[in-house]
Amino acid sequence: MQDSKLQELLDSLSVTEKIGQLVQVPGEVLNTQGQELGVREDLGLSEEIVRNVGSTLNVVGAERMKAVQKAYMERSRHKIPLLFMADIIYGFRTVFPVPLALGCSFDPGLLEKLCEVTSEESVAAGAHVTFSPMVDLVRDARWGRCLESTGEDPYMNSLYAAAMVKGFQKGLGSDKPAGMASCVKHFAAYGAPEGGRDYNTVDMSQRRLRQEYLPSYKAGVDAGCEMVMTSFNTVDGIPSTGNKWLMNDVLREEWGFEGVVITDYAAIAELVLHGAAEDQKDAARLAMEAGVDIDMCTGCYANYLEELIQEGKINEKQLDKAVMRILKLKNKLGLFEDPYRGADEAEEARLFLSEGNRRLAREAAVRTMVLLENKENTLPLEAGGKIALIGPYADNQDALGMWAIHGKKEAVITLKTALEEAAGKENVVSAPGCETLLEKDYHDLPALRMQMGMEGWSREKRQLELEKAAELAEKADVAVLALGEAVIQGGEGGSRTSLEIPGDQLELLRRVREKASKVIVVLFGGRPLVLDEVSRLSDALLEVWFPGTEGGHGIADVLFGKDNPSGRLSMSMPRSVGQMPLYYNHFNTGRPYDGVTPNRFFSRYTDCSNTPLYPFGYGLSYHKAEYGPLTLSSHILRRESSLTVKADITNTGDVPGTEAVQLYIRDVAGSVVRPVKELKGVQLVPLKAGETKTVQFTITEEMLRFYGKDMECRAEAGRFQVMVAPHSGCEMQAEFVLE
């Protein structure tokens, strides 16, 4: 439809019909059987508003979507189709590893491909918009939504944000129904709540916000995302949903974003609870003035916008701009020509969990696992040995993580199934050993068990299972312990004050260690955990995160050496929860601690090292890589030119592998304090056994820019240090000067 026709359509709408386009309702408000439309009383919506709502939430499946759209269109005066939006974060029916794991691939191209496949499945299920990617920078493992982020580094998060947007939206706007609109979230700085407690206050300088937290959102916008979601938190004391500076001045005016802005769930109404609005009417005014187009699942816009316009507190032109942005998105998706765009039961059957999609999920699982320990080359395992597979994740299909709401647990390949396939059933014995968590680890566990009709183990059973597991381990050649945090401990609302492995799992590890000749820990989870004891007691430690539908196969592929692990940590692993927030690109302080000098008057802890147990970018492989001396093409960089950094990387092992070669730079002195190092480049370098390759990076003046004392983003003349290294914990190797 041409823009002129869209304008004619807009002009034909009543104020109430316009407001309806700005209202999103949950799926249960729009009857999924295509019967009479209902009204959800707690939203206070009138039947007229419900007949004219612009979008709905989490109604997916071709049959369901078409029924809802058909019923809606039959009652619509102007035949404006609904937008179907959904939480499709890291896979639809085929579920890939959680984004924190995907960040460990150091491969934006992989994420782009995964999002493209996710989009294909989603479009077949009738979805038009995905609330992904979540590009929030996170440095505090206590925060439950770590699993949805790609990690702690602004540079990598920006690359991932752009790649994921491109993957989701590939084909969008073409003649055939391909691609879905990508919604970048949560704008802004949602990943920095005080205390790591979800929804909590975020308070930081504008310099830190712009330097570290905003780049990933801007990368998503620059990649062409069609939608941006507001965050729940405050920015400079003002909740994002009512923050005009953030939503209008930065997002629209400064960055040029022309797409749709949607709130997170009920965020406009929450302006009242924040204390930023007197009531829901006032909240609607603030959100509209800030430039928020869609009110997700409250009655604020529906019940008060017309009144605000009549009172002159909101200009109808503001309403028209918001409606037009929504109509343009519907037009770009081709909904006016085909309201059922792409929804197809036959395509669902062809795509969902197809052989090709499962194969990609298996590859993704392998490439995102991080080998943290491998003492005396315990891994890979040799064929023919007896394996005692022990732990709550040994035969557990709950490996999708908290936010794969459209995946199916029954489709998950468990570790037990995969090991039996790889080693033979006769060589694998299994026992859970313990429950995943206890009441001490999750205060709502009793209520959850009551709701699900489940009972926890008795004290006697807990002891018997521990003893049984130890006996199995003693008789086996190797014990593989599948441990980790419970799915319900992470995700939205899943903040923790302890980062230990929950339940009796540490005790299980201690018992098995006493009896087993070799102990391999396979660790599941959605955040960095405190692993000091796990590290000491294990011969090999493999972090597999929540690995998705094909996780079991991927783990077996790595354990038996079919694949060489190449994942590198996207978040630093702490020694103690007291180190939070923990990140590699911190400031030096005026009293930096060298880790050795016995003097309390340094920036240090008296009971713990400052350093992480495993640093950002760290990971082992079955090959061994040796990094040669770094060379610079020049020790002087002029602003209009560039310089090159070279280093020889040699695989000194006897198996081929891929090395994630990382470039770090430090600005030694600036008008404002600069980090001790910043990642500025990564190359994935495949190496045959014994092979040497020269890796080259190019450094330009643009890579050295930052927000200085005057808040202008520019590079300042002076000394810079550089290193090419396997992880962030290494030392700087050379210097150059920017003139």
Side-chain angles (χ1 to χ4, degrees), residues 131-448:
F131 296 133
S132 183
M134 187 188 102
V135 301
D136 303 316
L137 184 77
V138 57
R139 293 167 163 175
D140 193 331
R142 294 173 296 182
W143 191 49
R145 300 192 82 164
C146 284
L147 68 87
E148 293 177 68
S149 170
T150 47
E152 72 181 52
D153 181 65
Y155 171 77
M156 289 307 303
N157 281 10
S158 296
L159 295 181
Y160 291 139
M164 295 173 78
V165 168
K166 291 174 183 176
F168 282 127
Q169 295 189 170
K170 187 172 184 179
L172 187 64
S174 61
D175 293 337
K176 64 177 183 178
M180 59 196 309
S182 172
C183 177
V184 166
K185 66 182 186 183
H186 306 84
F187 192 62
Y190 181 46
E194 292 181 355
R197 196 178 76 232
D198 210 355
Y199 317 122
N200 201 13
T201 303
V202 171
D203 195 7
M204 66 178 66
S205 68
Q206 186 180 152
R207 177 173 290 104
R208 169 161 278 191
L209 180 70
R210 285 185 176 275
Q211 189 73 43
E212 301 165 18
Y213 286 83
L214 292 189
S216 55
Y217 305 107
K218 188 174 188 301
V221 170
D222 289 346
C225 71
E226 297 290 342
M227 189 175 290
V228 169
M229 179 184 288
T230 69
S231 58
F232 287 119
N233 55 277
T234 56
V235 173
D236 194 22
I238 303 172
S240 296
T241 302
N243 195 316
K244 186 176 181 180
W245 172 80
L246 188 65
M247 295 299 159
N248 185 74
D249 297 1
V250 175
L251 180 62
R252 294 203 187 278
E253 298 298 329
E254 190 176 322
W255 294 357
F257 179 66
E258 297 180 349
V260 174
V261 172
I262 187 172
T263 74
D264 207 336
Y265 199 100
I268 296 181
E270 290 179 13
L271 293 175
V272 180
L273 297 173
H274 270 291
E278 293 184 358
D279 50 30
Q280 290 197 1
K281 180 179 177 181
D282 193 32
R285 176 186 63 81
L286 288 172
M288 180 57 69
E289 287 178 347
V292 172
D293 299 319
I294 297 179
D295 178 3
M296 183 191 289
C297 300
T298 82
C300 294
Y301 276 6
N303 298 327
Y304 299 107
L305 274 189
E306 189 162 1
E307 187 177 335
L308 287 165
I309 290 171
Q310 292 170 351
E311 293 173 355
K313 295 179 180 178
I314 291 292
N315 191 310
E316 190 171 348
K317 289 183 179 179
Q318 293 174 267
L319 175 63
D320 288 350
K321 287 182 179 178
V323 175
M324 180 57 79
R325 285 191 283 260
I326 295 166
L327 293 178
K328 284 185 174 181
L329 178 56
K330 293 182 177 184
N331 190 44
K332 189 168 187 176
L333 287 161
L335 296 182
F336 291 105
E337 290 75 27
D338 180 9
Y340 309 107
R341 176 190 189 267
D344 189 323
E345 292 90 335
E347 281 295 281
E348 287 179 319
R350 183 180 72 85
L351 291 169
F352 287 2
L353 297 166
S354 67
E355 181 180 346
N357 289 359
R358 277 191 174 272
R359 186 165 54 248
L360 183 61
R362 185 170 182 167
E363 177 190 348
V366 166
R367 294 183 60 189
T368 56
M369 295 173 190
V370 183
L371 184 61
L372 298 174
E373 295 286 348
N374 194 21
K375 301 167 187 174
E376 299 180 359
N377 295 322
T378 298
L379 292 177
L381 295 173
E382 295 181 0
K386 299 295 183 181
I387 299 171
L389 176 60
I390 296 165
Y393 278 105
D395 193 24
N396 190 343
Q397 290 184 302
D398 208 4
L400 300 181
M402 190 66 176
W403 226 233
I405 61 177
H406 306 293
K408 299 294 185 183
K409 281 176 58 175
E410 56 268 26
V412 171
I413 302 299
T414 70
L415 183 52
K416 180 183 178 183
T417 297
L419 287 185
E420 287 178 343
E421 290 176 7
K425 287 187 177 182
E426 69 279 5
N427 291 322
V428 179
V429 293
S430 179
C434 65
E435 296 175 282
T436 312
L437 76 168
L438 302 173
E439 291 181 19
K440 67 179 178 63
D441 308 300
Y442 193 76
H443 291 172
D444 296 335
L445 188 59
L448 183 65

